[in-house]
Amino acid sequence: MNGKNAPRVGGLPAGKLDTICDVPGVTVGHATLDAGALQTGVTVIRPHAGDPYRDKVPAAAAVINGFGKSIGLVQVEELGVLETPIALTNTFGVGTVANAQIRDAVRANPQIGREWATVNPLVFECNDGYLNDIQALAVTEAHYGQALAAADRVFGQGAVGAGRGMSCFSFKGGIGSASRLAGGFTVGALVLANYGRKPNLTVAGRPFGRWLREMEGRLDSGPEKGSIILLLATDAPLDARQLRRLAVRAGAGLARTGSVYGHGSGDIALAFSTAYTVPHLAERGMPTPQLLHETRIDPLFEAAAEATEQAIIHALWHAVTVRGRDGHVRQAITEAIPDWSAWLTSGPP
């Protein structure tokens, strides 16, 4: 099933690609491991084509539920900038990928950690241990390099990169992306979707999970204990404080799909702007951008919620069925519910 045929949510227009790469300068790349019990990978999001250490972008994060093992968030909160690409991987791959980010930054800037300050790697994770043999520690530094080298405006979604082994509402989840245009600007979302209780699944406002419960009888998938990483990019000139406000609105899109941010779910959002950069070297001076007035930010909030909800749907609809460790299987939603389009208009038969 082509993800372009996925349900459409909201009323705002999308960008040409309907991905985060509709925001100028943003690119995405994957390295995918698909070998029996090893179903995992790395996804990299580059905020621009230059050196993010020398030319940082403003950013901020919002922790919706903190059951996660990410690295780098403390400095992002303190300084309000990104200085490496953003990396996504599985829980046990965080340290390895962070090392790869550090080595890559030092190769480009040998002064790091000596004449200059150290670098802040930024890695987010979800636990893909149901499908992937996470104890094998299969992700290597080379996989980060492959994903970084593959970064492009056009990229795969679903069961690719860091999304290869992820589950969503007991179906196959993974990488999803979307964009919305509002207020003269673009807001793009990319998610690593690995969360949700099947009975709660809501698609474009329709109670798919409740219908499945009625069709299948008692349907209880236990407590919500997955995670989702929510990334937002925009070309609107926002500072770190405003970007944190934008990141919080990703939670609205997440809730529309049926998440209640359960106890065991790590739900973290990060937003960044490509409208300007902050130079590492003090002699280059600080930028003085004309920031968006606070009273004009509501359209971006709406775009953030819509793009996030759409990105999650794209993650589900792009995904293919994957068989992983110990015979575990996650079925693609398009295979499990082949007549899903009829459900959107008239409900299940």
Side-chain angles (χ1 to χ4, degrees):
M1 171 66 65
N2 188 329
K4 291 183 178 179
N5 295 322
R8 176 67 157 78
V9 301
L12 294 174
K16 182 177 180 180
L17 299 172
D18 198 11
T19 74
I20 195 171
C21 294
D22 284 314
V23 178
V26 178
T27 54
V28 177
H30 303 299
T32 304
L33 284 74
D34 173 14
L38 303 180
Q39 302 291 330
T40 191
V42 177
T43 295
V44 173
I45 300 89
R46 298 188 66 186
H48 59 67
D51 184 335
Y53 183 83
R54 288 176 176 263
D55 292 290
K56 311 173 198 299
V57 297
V63 178
I64 300 168
N65 194 66
F67 204 107
K69 288 82 178 172
S70 301
I71 188 170
L73 288 178
V74 171
Q75 185 168 314
V76 171
E77 180 178 5
E78 181 68 23
L79 301 184
V81 294
L82 305 180
E83 54 185 36
T84 67
I86 303 164
L88 308 174
T89 190
N90 74 59
T91 307
F92 287 175
V94 169
T96 298
V97 172
N99 283 340
Q101 288 185 316
I102 293 169
R103 293 187 205 280
D104 184 69
V106 169
R107 275 192 296 270
N109 301 284
Q111 306 94 322
I112 287 176
R114 293 181 176 172
E115 294 85 6
W116 293 355
T118 56
V119 64
N120 183 47
L122 187 60
V123 189
F124 295 99
E125 55 77 33
C126 292
N127 180 359
D128 59 10
Y130 181 78
L131 289 174
N132 174 50
D133 181 6
I134 198 169
Q135 292 183 359
L137 302 177
V139 169
T140 68
E141 292 185 24
H143 293 127
Y144 172 79
Q146 292 170 17
L148 183 65
D152 201 346
R153 293 189 68 235
V154 178
F155 60 93
Q157 298 184 55
V160 294
R164 180 64 192 177
M166 303 299 174
S167 306
C168 193
F169 294 101
S170 297
F171 296 108
K172 185 67 194 72
I175 297 289
S177 191
S179 69
R180 292 294 185 265
L181 311 179
F185 300 104
T186 301
V187 176
L190 185 142
V191 301
L192 179 62
N194 186 59
Y195 76 100
R197 297 180 64 249
K198 196 173 184 179
N200 293 347
L201 173 61
T202 304
V203 179
R206 307 289 274 171
F208 273 46
R210 191 185 74 203
W211 290 336
L212 287 167
R213 187 206 304 264
E214 293 169 355
M215 293 175 65
E216 299 174 5
R218 184 176 182 272
L219 182 68
D220 186 356
S221 57
E224 183 171 345
K225 54 184 178 181
S227 298
I228 184 168
I229 305 302
L230 310 149
L231 304 177
L232 296 174
T234 184
D235 55 359
L238 306 177
D239 64 14
R241 181 189 57 79
Q242 292 172 315
L243 286 165
R244 188 186 183 283
R245 299 189 72 202
L246 189 69
V248 168
R249 272 62 185 186
L254 174 60
R256 291 173 186 174
T257 66
S259 173
V260 297
Y261 322 146
H263 161 69
S265 183
D267 308 323
I268 301 174
L270 179 138
F272 65 91
S273 171
T274 63
Y276 61 98
T277 59
V278 178
H280 177 74
L281 297 176
E283 52 267 31
R284 291 174 55 194
M286 287 292 286
T288 55
Q290 184 174 352
L291 299 176
L292 186 70
H293 195 279
E294 214 76 19
T295 61
R296 297 183 177 178
I297 204 169
D298 271 355
L300 300 186
F301 289 169
E302 183 177 359
E306 264 195 33
T308 299
E309 182 184 7
Q310 188 70 71
I312 293 167
I313 289 173
H314 282 167
L316 284 162
W317 259 257
H318 276 277
V320 296
T321 297
V322 171
R323 181 180 298 273
R325 71 165 180 90
D326 301 327
H328 290 179
V329 178
R330 286 298 190 207
Q331 192 176 20
I333 195 169
T334 52
E335 293 183 12
I337 312 175
D339 54 348
W340 62 265
S341 60
W343 287 31
L344 289 174
T345 55
S346 57

